[in-house]
Amino acid sequence: MKKAVITGITGQDGSYLAELLLAKGYEVHGVIRRSSHINTMRIDHLFENKEIGGKRLFLHYGDLTDGSSLRKILEKAQPDEVYHLAAQSHVRVSFDIPEYTTDTTALGACRILEALKETEIPARYYQASSSEMYGKVLEVPQTEKTPFYPRSPYACAKAYAFYLTRNYREGYNMFACNGILFNHESPRRGETFVTRKITLGLANILAGKQDKLYLGNLDAKRDWGFAGDYVDAMWRILQADEPDDYVIATGETYSIKDFLTEAFSYKGLNWEDYVGIDKKYFRPTEVDLLIGDASNAKNKLGWEPKTSFKELVRMMVDSDCELVGAK
């Protein structure tokens, strides 16, 4: 039985990845932070399965700022694969807490890679890299060869982790890979991210619990995919014969206005009647256009996205309507 460690297992990607690996027969060890609030709701359903919870799924307290805790977890789990997904992952918030973002998002990867090197655990390592690293894009679409131009503390931290992963691969002959994932959403997306703000806000409007929805820059364009599709790419990256870096994207780009139009029109509403602009949601430096070319992943891994933009938006709207009791 293969063993995997997932940092960030309680997040959107971590929960989908845990489901995938457990379905493939893995023993899964998740790293979680100690909190006064229980934050395992995305994976609670897995523990309810008596064949999984406590038998093939285990949680360990650790923190990306504490290298000793990470090393102890790795030594105890002895994983075949490590999926490093945890980070301070909100781009706008990274401008407010740049030092913490750097400590967790950049140095967190350093601590895990160093722990793997020092313990000599021969695990394959996946680094969750981000399309935000391209920032002020230098070519369209973006590929594995496109230079980075990060435009936020988060993106700078991710770029550090990307290059460090490549350095450990080349310097210490580790099977260490980067997945440069473009925006990926789902009903499990955090409520402070713009896509989920839109779908949950729409659901609350339909339920009579909210009158207006306030957002920032509506013209930013993103390459949006479904998180459930993208965790399959993560797994495929670590099953390849040789370690490499891969762009994971749909190859299509839509603006936030497009997302609003699709979501509100699905429920027969005009978004312009319900959406206002609040300058506090604008970033000091914006990323205007992201669109990825995943040809390398298609050719080498056989991976392609399965969920369309329209299907993704409607899936999220339906889920949030059910959540708040809206029709």
Side-chain angles (χ1 to χ4, degrees):
M1 182 187 300
K2 278 190 174 182
K3 298 180 181 179
V5 165
I6 303 174
T7 69
I9 193 171
T10 58
Q12 170 189 251
D13 292 7
S15 64
Y16 281 112
L17 179 60
E19 287 179 345
L20 177 73
L21 296 181
L22 289 167
K24 292 181 179 295
Y26 280 63
E27 178 178 299
V28 175
H29 296 260
V31 182
I32 61 172
R33 285 182 301 163
R34 170 70 179 91
S35 172
S36 58
H37 297 282
I38 297 174
N39 61 351
T40 59
M41 67 287 294
R42 292 186 179 95
I43 57 173
D44 283 344
H45 64 288
L46 297 174
F47 280 100
E48 293 170 1
N49 185 327
K50 295 181 180 180
E51 298 302 316
I52 294 177
K55 295 183 179 179
R56 288 197 294 119
L57 177 58
F58 306 90
L59 298 181
H60 308 266
Y61 285 117
D63 197 291
L64 296 182
T65 63
D66 179 7
S68 64
S69 70
L70 300 173
R71 178 171 178 156
K72 288 176 183 177
I73 292 168
L74 292 172
E75 289 179 327
K76 183 175 182 179
Q78 291 293 312
D80 300 287
E81 299 167 5
V82 174
Y83 296 87
H84 179 39
L85 312 184
Q88 192 301 98
S89 60
H90 199 286
V91 178
R92 177 62 190 84
V93 172
S94 76
F95 288 98
D96 300 324
I97 49 172
E99 184 178 342
Y100 175 75
T101 299
T102 301
D103 195 12
T104 56
T105 306
L107 296 182
C110 179
R111 293 179 182 110
I112 296 177
L113 285 163
E114 189 64 12
L116 285 170
K117 178 174 73 73
E118 289 183 352
T119 58
E120 298 184 343
I121 297 172
R124 296 186 171 200
Y125 174 83
Y126 172 86
Q127 169 63 34
S129 292
S130 169
S131 60
E132 286 285 333
M133 299 185 301
Y134 294 118
K136 190 175 181 180
V137 298
L138 300 178
E139 66 178 8
V140 178
Q142 294 87 56
T143 72
E144 292 83 0
K145 295 181 180 179
T146 303
F148 298 147
Y149 196 140
R151 298 270 282 174
S152 67
Y154 167 80
C156 291
K158 281 292 187 181
Y160 171 94
F162 173 92
Y163 285 120
L164 195 71
T165 298
R166 182 178 284 179
N167 269 263
Y168 272 72
R169 177 170 75 222
E170 296 174 355
Y172 305 111
N173 198 32
M174 293 173 63
F175 197 106
C177 308
N178 286 287
I180 309 173
L181 271 60
F182 281 63
N183 291 64
H184 46 290
E185 319 297 318
S186 76
R188 300 179 192 175
R189 189 57 143 155
E191 295 178 11
T192 60
F193 290 84
V194 66
T195 53
R196 188 73 195 290
K197 282 183 69 176
I198 291 171
T199 59
L200 185 58
L202 170 58
N204 281 325
I205 289 168
L206 290 168
K209 299 179 180 180
Q210 186 173 331
D211 296 322
K212 294 276 287 187
L213 172 64
Y214 290 93
L215 301 171
N217 179 15
L218 303 185
D219 295 319
K221 294 182 177 181
R222 296 292 184 266
D223 184 326
W224 276 304
F226 172 48
D229 293 342
Y230 283 36
V231 298
D232 174 59
M234 297 177 189
W235 176 79
R236 288 173 184 254
I237 287 171
L238 292 196
Q239 311 314 307
D241 293 334
E242 299 292 335
D244 203 353
D245 306 321
Y246 297 89
V247 163
I248 304 300
T250 70
E252 298 178 355
T253 189
Y254 296 90
S255 69
I256 294 173
K257 283 183 181 177
D258 293 331
F259 198 105
L260 282 165
T261 299
E262 183 61 43
F264 276 75
S265 64
Y266 176 45
K267 291 298 182 179
L269 300 178
N270 181 356
W271 67 265
E272 293 178 291
D273 296 332
Y274 299 93
V275 176
I277 303 299
D278 191 327
K279 292 292 180 67
K280 73 179 181 181
Y281 296 122
F282 281 74
R283 302 179 187 179
T285 48
E286 181 59 87
V287 174
D288 298 315
L289 169 65
L290 292 175
I291 178 171
D293 180 354
S295 297
N296 194 37
K298 179 180 179 180
N299 295 334
K300 293 184 178 180
L301 307 176
W303 180 86
E304 289 185 278
K306 299 177 181 178
T307 309
S308 71
F309 175 73
K310 179 179 288 189
E311 289 170 336
L312 172 63
V313 175
R314 294 187 174 193
M315 174 199 310
M316 294 178 66
V317 171
D318 287 341
S319 175
D320 278 329
C321 283
E322 182 179 353
L323 179 67
V324 304
K327 295 183 178 180

